[in-house]
Amino acid sequence: METGELAVVPDRVDLGAASALPVAGVTALQALRRLGSVVGRRVLITGASGGVGRYAVQLAALAGARVVASVGSPARGEGLLELGAEEVVIGPENVKEPVFGALDNVGGVQLAQAFSRVEPGGSVLSIGKASLQPTVIDFEEERHRGGRRRIEVFTVESPIGADLAYLVGLLDRGLLDPQIGWRGPWERAAEAAEALLGRRVRGKAVLDVTRP
């Protein structure tokens, strides 16, 4: 691994918390940056209860956005208002006002619904496909809603060291919650995987490796 992919973790920052940053945190940060300036603007985040989603809610709120968090059920939405969401909805079909941009972690129907809520000049970034469903968009129908809207396929860009350092800094200053929903020893890895696959973990799962 090249040094450009690394960041220094201060002694006072828990390594387990820092370990939850690299994939989900960096993805949320880079995707939010791609939207451009979001100060005072409505930003929709689908799959907001997941690992990337929970970071995206926090980072968008810190950037001054008015965050609309979309989740699959009321239970999945618990805690998102405390993380900075202005509004929590059950699915993007329940977003009543246009949004400047959207970060979609679900794909399928929800990506199409998110795109239909974007205002002229805005964009939606396709980050993930948690639904495992293809997306079908009726572009003729969308033309009637207005133009100058974009859909972009998002991928993380390397090196990520600078982004990691920024996120670790927020963690160190108490401005970012790593949202660890499950934590245990390495020997319980199978249990952690089962909990994640069963959608029983809000946020990230962390496995601690101890010295013998």
Side-chain angles (χ1 to χ4, degrees):
M1 180 180 292
E2 297 189 9
T3 57
E5 307 288 352
L6 305 176
V8 176
V9 180
D11 291 339
R12 56 184 170 269
V13 173
D14 175 61
L15 287 176
S19 73
L21 296 175
V23 178
V26 169
T27 296
L29 177 62
Q30 290 192 6
L32 183 64
R33 193 180 291 142
R34 287 291 300 166
L35 287 181
S37 176
V38 296
V39 177
R41 289 168 156 169
R42 284 166 56 82
V43 172
L44 169 64
I45 299 167
T46 70
S49 61
V52 174
R54 287 177 177 270
Y55 280 120
V57 168
Q58 295 181 78
L59 293 170
L62 285 172
R66 300 170 55 202
V67 180
V68 181
S70 172
V71 295
S73 68
R76 298 288 289 177
E78 291 178 4
L80 292 177
L81 293 176
E82 290 76 7
L83 292 181
E86 181 178 284
E87 181 182 354
V88 177
V89 298
I90 309 302
E93 70 272 22
N94 290 309
V95 176
K96 303 305 181 185
E97 298 178 17
V99 298
F100 167 73
L103 304 181
D104 175 64
N105 297 287
V106 181
V109 173
Q110 291 203 26
L111 174 55
Q113 292 171 335
F115 181 61
S116 71
R117 268 62 179 179
V118 173
E119 65 190 27
S123 60
V124 53
L125 271 67
S126 174
I127 298 173
K129 191 181 176 184
S131 69
L132 302 179
Q133 299 296 317
T135 300
V136 177
I137 296 176
D138 186 337
F139 280 97
E140 185 60 35
E141 181 180 341
E142 292 302 331
R143 266 188 280 276
H144 290 289
R145 289 195 173 103
R148 296 189 302 111
R149 293 175 293 141
R150 304 184 308 279
I151 292 182
E152 180 177 332
V153 175
F154 173 81
T155 56
V156 173
E157 295 183 357
S158 294
I160 65 170
D163 290 335
L164 271 178
Y166 174 74
L167 293 171
V168 168
L170 292 179
L171 196 63
D172 186 28
R173 290 152 56 196
L175 297 176
L176 188 66
D177 187 325
Q179 289 292 284
I180 298 173
W182 188 100
R183 188 167 184 174
W186 178 260
E187 291 76 13
R188 294 172 61 192
E191 180 183 338
E194 183 182 358
L196 285 168
L197 291 172
R199 297 175 62 83
R200 298 192 300 275
V201 177
R202 292 176 186 157
K204 304 294 291 182
V206 171
L207 294 169
D208 291 305
V209 180
T210 57
R211 295 179 179 178

